[in-house]
Amino acid sequence: MSRTRTALLAALALTAGASGTALAVDPGGVGTAAVPCTVDYKVQNDWGSGFTAAVTVTNNGAAKSAWSVKWSYAGTQKVTSGWNAKLSQSGTAVTAANESYNGTLGTGSSVSFGLQGTYSGSNAVPATFTLDGVTCNVDDGSGGPGGPTDPPPTGGARVDNPYAGAKVYVNPEWSAKAAAEPGGSRISNQPTGVWLDRIAAINGVNGGMGLRAHLDEALKQKGSGELVVQLVIYNLPGRDCAALASNGELKADEIDKYKTQYIDPIAAILGDAKYKDLRIVTTVEIDSLPNLVTNVTPRPTATPNCDTMKANGNYIKGVGYALNKLGDVPNVYNYVDAGHHGWIGWDDNFSSSVQMIKQAATAEGATVNDVHGFITNTANYSALKELYFTINDSVNGKSVRESKWVDWNRYTDELSFAQAFRNEAARLGFDSKVGMLIDTSRNGWGGSARPAGPGARTDVDTYVNGGRIDRRIHMGNWCNQSGAGLGERPQANPEPGIDAYVWMKPPGESDGSSKAIDNNEGKGFDRMCDPTYTGNPRNGNSMSGALPDAPVSGHWFSAQFQELMRNAYPPLS
């Protein structure tokens, strides 16, 4: 018995022909030109416990250099092998990505692949297919692609840069806290990220707004234009393995709980048709994958927790699963955390980190097409641009790279690092148009300590230290840094290859407590948040540079907020 689903329609009437091959019926004369893509899935052979299927994909949209088709089975079907596509499966969800030789898919062109699988019970044809996140089968009402009556891309048609031409959601909860601070009204209308840092945050914590409440508010703010909502996906098992302040609620082995109780509910809410006209940016699991490069054995900065997470693979699985499930929602744009230049910029970390992200982006049914871009400097302090020295400078025959501050890093600031990271990602197989975000919420480093010119050329350390914008004691310091200031205000397309400067970390929210504080959020005490701490190998055994009297991470820290405003650069008016 042969079965088929031709993805020209949302629902198909199937009538068995004399040969046993089902025929697709197109009621109402809906033409393929009005459909963004079609998928024809035919079960060619079925022997009761196994089957083979042939799949043909037709692209009616813009030409592609790579493609990914996804569907979910309703039963127990398991794909065991395939040909002419790279097939992977997680649970019921299947992803078929192009091989190196058939990635080109022009407008109106088709590509075919096949698979073999097993099952028990029924072997129903999948109900819905997507091509690169766009749902096939459905008439988009445009009268055909590329015509003069086509509407602008909305409701799931991804754009190259979601921030371009769009407003960005202002979180009313953060805005109210900022506005309540003296002088805070100067920035309380700025967009910031919404942090989903535990399962309870999905429905709202302590009477606060949950995910649906934020999305409903975003629809009100949207009006008739485009609007971006920024979400931080941050709840991996064994989270933040190299630190303690942001340890999460899930234990190292609770990957199934992460999938079913955290990612799946988020994906279900984001997939609600009510929110289809929002551009939803997800920043996926900060401080996770880079740790598997820099903080594992045999590195001197290794921690037992990071060794555990590399061995059990749950960071890779968790990020892959998140990319897969969230990437299935057509109006979601996944940006994966890429650390920052003072963490990943060294030669032995740089390419390895891109490779680690790619490993996650091809796990658990995900593909590189589920990654729209990367974000750097999330919740960190690295200067956007070092104005008064470059990596190519030398003093008395010594390179800037030999200075104690740069310490052989290849990058001096976040902009040069982000642009280089983008190029390396494209070289290693991510889309050549992949975009970058830079978190500028706390990297302004203004105020009286900001240098006005280069340092003296007495020696390379004097030159660098006298002229550097980043005034931290060591670039490995990350917790509630003294002297920091607000950075560039959020904006789209600020530099080539950069989709936006964003405030993903809401200014005024603590990085961690200065001393141990009991809490029910699973957050530990990290000595890097203690201003008396003299350091460890990860910060060159330097003082922590942290502010005193800080609350638990994520809680409001008024003194820090005031300091960020005082030291803002560009200055606040």
Side-chain angles (χ1 to χ4, degrees):
M1 177 92 179
S2 176
R3 292 184 294 279
T4 184
R5 179 175 179 92
T6 302
L8 299 176
L9 307 168
L12 297 174
L14 300 180
T15 305
S19 66
T21 300
L23 305 175
V25 179
D26 183 359
V30 177
T32 61
V35 180
C37 50
T38 69
V39 176
D40 184 65
Y41 179 107
K42 291 181 179 177
V43 176
Q44 294 180 308
N45 298 290
D46 190 325
W47 51 94
S49 60
F51 67 99
T52 60
V55 185
T56 300
V57 184
T58 302
N59 172 38
N60 294 320
K64 300 175 180 293
S65 59
W67 50 266
S68 175
V69 177
K70 296 183 179 183
W71 67 87
S72 291
Y73 285 118
T76 63
Q77 297 99 322
K78 297 291 183 184
V79 175
T80 56
S81 62
W83 47 95
N84 293 333
K86 298 173 182 175
L87 286 122
S88 58
Q89 184 169 357
S90 175
T92 60
V94 179
T95 298
N98 63 275
E99 295 282 6
S100 60
Y101 53 81
N102 63 356
T104 300
L105 189 56
T107 303
S109 298
S110 300
V111 65
S112 297
F113 59 89
L115 60 93
Q116 183 168 317
T118 61
Y119 75 98
S120 60
S122 62
N123 185 23
V125 171
T128 304
F129 298 86
T130 63
L131 173 61
D132 294 338
V134 176
T135 303
C136 303
N137 301 26
V138 180
D139 180 1
D140 66 8
S142 69
T149 61
D150 284 356
T154 59
R158 288 193 183 97
V159 295
D160 285 344
N161 180 359
Y163 290 86
K167 297 185 295 185
V168 187
Y169 175 63
V170 177
N171 180 346
E173 293 183 313
W174 176 83
S175 181
K177 292 176 183 176
E181 292 279 346
S185 60
R186 293 174 294 174
I187 63 165
S188 59
N189 64 342
Q190 293 291 346
T192 55
V194 174
W195 286 57
L196 302 173
D197 61 352
R198 45 187 153 153
I199 293 168
I202 299 171
N203 293 320
V205 178
N206 298 326
M209 297 172 70
L211 178 55
R212 280 194 179 275
H214 282 295
L215 296 176
D216 289 341
E217 175 63 23
L219 288 175
K220 296 177 184 177
Q221 293 184 20
K222 178 181 183 296
S224 60
E226 300 291 346
L227 184 132
V228 171
V229 179
Q230 301 174 126
L231 306 177
V232 179
I233 307 301
Y234 186 46
N235 198 30
L236 275 176
R239 190 180 74 189
D240 210 357
C241 64
L244 299 173
S246 297
N247 287 165
E249 63 185 351
L250 300 180
K251 298 176 183 177
D253 60 354
E254 292 189 303
I255 185 66
D256 291 337
K257 188 174 181 180
Y258 173 81
K259 292 178 178 180
T260 60
Q261 296 185 36
Y262 180 68
I263 293 298
D264 287 353
I266 291 173
I269 293 171
L270 300 187
D272 189 329
K274 180 180 181 180
Y275 307 121
K276 65 182 178 62
D277 290 326
L278 296 173
R279 296 178 182 178
I280 301 172
V281 165
T282 60
T283 55
V284 178
E285 295 296 356
I286 64 171
D287 293 345
S288 61
L289 299 176
N291 273 315
L292 300 186
V293 174
T294 62
N295 294 319
V296 294
T297 303
R299 298 291 183 94
T301 53
T303 70
N305 289 342
C306 289
D307 283 342
T308 295
M309 297 318 299
K310 184 170 184 178
N312 68 20
N314 283 343
Y315 278 6
I316 296 292
K317 295 173 188 175
V319 171
Y321 189 84
L323 292 173
N324 180 14
K325 289 296 183 180
L326 302 176
D328 282 345
V329 182
N331 54 315
V332 164
Y333 299 78
N334 288 321
Y335 288 79
V336 182
D337 183 72
H340 56 87
H341 91 276
W343 183 3
I344 303 302
W346 281 271
D347 293 342
D348 53 352
N349 296 345
F350 185 69
S351 187
S352 298
S353 295
V354 182
Q355 293 172 32
M356 183 67 68
I357 293 174
K358 186 176 180 181
Q359 184 180 346
T362 52
E364 298 291 313
T367 76
V368 293
N369 294 324
D370 289 314
V371 177
H372 197 81
F374 306 93
I375 182 168
T376 77
N377 207 44
T378 312
N380 206 264
Y381 298 86
S382 294
L384 180 65
K385 301 177 184 178
E386 286 292 357
L387 303 176
Y388 303 125
F389 66 93
T390 76
I391 204 68
N392 299 314
D393 292 350
S394 62
V395 177
N396 298 332
K398 280 199 169 185
S399 165
V400 156
R401 294 188 71 194
E402 297 180 69
S403 67
K404 185 176 180 181
W405 173 256
V406 178
D407 192 26
W408 295 103
N409 201 310
R410 193 163 290 280
Y411 303 96
T412 59
D413 53 33
E414 281 308 293
L415 179 58
S416 62
F417 169 76
Q419 290 171 326
F421 193 94
R422 177 181 184 271
N423 292 337
E424 182 68 3
R427 187 182 74 83
L428 291 179
F430 289 92
D431 193 296
S432 61
K433 296 186 292 184
V434 71
M436 302 295 298
L437 305 178
I438 301 177
D439 188 347
T440 59
S441 59
R442 304 184 302 179
N443 70 347
W445 296 104
S448 60
R450 185 180 178 88
R457 301 186 70 89
T458 310
D459 57 65
V460 72
D461 285 320
T462 302
Y463 176 66
V464 170
N465 287 331
R468 60 183 167 93
I469 302 297
D470 189 334
R471 305 311 295 172
R472 285 177 293 177
I473 298 169
H474 188 278
M475 70 174 69
N477 288 352
W478 53 266
C479 194
N480 300 325
Q481 290 298 284
S482 176
L486 301 168
E488 289 283 351
R489 313 311 180 248
Q491 56 187 287
N493 290 317
E495 296 281 352
I498 309 300
D499 283 353
Y501 295 153
V502 298
W503 283 9
M504 203 59 66
K505 172 73 172 182
E509 292 190 1
S510 174
D511 296 322
S513 58
S514 300
K515 57 186 178 182
I517 299 176
D518 290 337
N519 64 89
N520 61 359
E521 301 173 34
K523 295 171 181 176
F525 168 54
D526 196 301
R527 289 295 307 280
M528 287 295 290
C529 301
D530 175 359
T532 69
Y533 184 48
T534 56
N536 57 50
R538 292 191 295 281
N539 79 331
N541 296 301
S542 305
M543 296 296 291
S544 69
L547 291 168
D549 303 319
V552 169
S553 63
H555 291 218
W556 190 255
F557 189 8
S558 177
Q560 183 203 51
F561 185 79
Q562 289 294 331
E563 183 165 48
L564 290 172
M565 289 195 296
R566 279 195 303 272
N567 296 327
Y569 195 89
L572 297 178
S573 58

